[in-house]
Amino acid sequence: MDTPLSSISLHDMFYGAVVWDPWLIVAQIVCLQCLYYLTLGVFLSFLVGIRVSRMSLVYFFDFASVTTSTVTGWCVIASFLLSSIAGAGYMLYLIERAKKCLDFSATLYIIHLFICIMYGGWPSSITWWVVNGTGVAVMALLDV
């Protein structure tokens, strides 16, 4: 039996019924995290790889590499910020709802914080916090 058209809300017509699907959310988080690190790796390879003799995970996860005192540090900062802009583009296709963008971008950076803590300890650099806070804001606000 068909539901009467008057019982379907305008929201459901354009977005479909909101269904709690935890597997979809986990898959979106994993996919977004992988795309973010892949993009970060590409930017680090181009911007930092030409300046250092050997690339390593230090540039991904060690807070000491995010510094304004060296040109390489500025290249790391640029890589993180460019990756957050790319992450905003990924969220347009993966998440498809501006309402959830802050949640997903914050989740990405919280996971990144945990990985950084496991890799090099608690980030004590104010520059690291400013760069990652700016990254969350850029990623969330470019999708609104």
Side-chain angles (χ1 to χ4, degrees):
M1 181 169 199
D2 293 333
T3 57
L5 191 58
S6 62
S7 68
I8 299 174
S9 72
L10 188 61
H11 181 269
D12 289 345
M13 283 177 36
F14 290 110
Y15 295 108
V18 178
V19 177
W20 170 252
D21 188 359
W23 289 111
L24 174 64
I25 295 169
V26 169
Q28 288 171 323
I29 290 169
V30 168
C31 191
L32 186 63
Q33 199 83 33
C34 290
L35 286 170
Y36 175 78
Y37 284 130
L38 180 68
T39 305
L40 181 60
V42 168
F43 284 126
L44 285 171
S45 294
F46 285 120
L47 297 176
V48 177
I50 60 173
R51 305 195 57 77
V52 298
S53 60
R54 185 170 164 248
M55 283 295 293
S56 71
L57 291 177
V58 167
Y59 299 104
F60 283 86
F61 302 119
D62 191 0
F63 65 89
S65 67
V66 182
T67 181
T68 57
S69 62
T70 64
V71 176
T72 303
W74 278 104
C75 291
V76 171
I77 291 170
S79 298
F80 273 99
L81 295 178
L82 290 169
S83 295
S84 68
I85 293 169
Y90 298 145
M91 280 200 297
L92 283 173
Y93 294 104
L94 288 174
I95 312 307
E96 297 180 340
R97 299 184 93 157
K99 189 176 180 181
K100 294 181 180 180
C101 286
L102 177 60
D103 297 339
F104 278 89
S105 59
T107 301
L108 183 141
Y109 278 92
I110 288 169
I111 292 169
H112 179 67
L113 171 64
F114 287 142
I115 295 170
C116 289
I117 289 170
M118 289 187 298
Y119 187 85
W122 183 260
S124 60
S125 165
I126 190 70
T127 307
W128 187 92
W129 288 101
V130 169
V131 167
N132 284 281
T134 304
V136 171
V138 165
M139 192 179 283
L141 295 176
L142 282 182
D143 286 324
V144 175

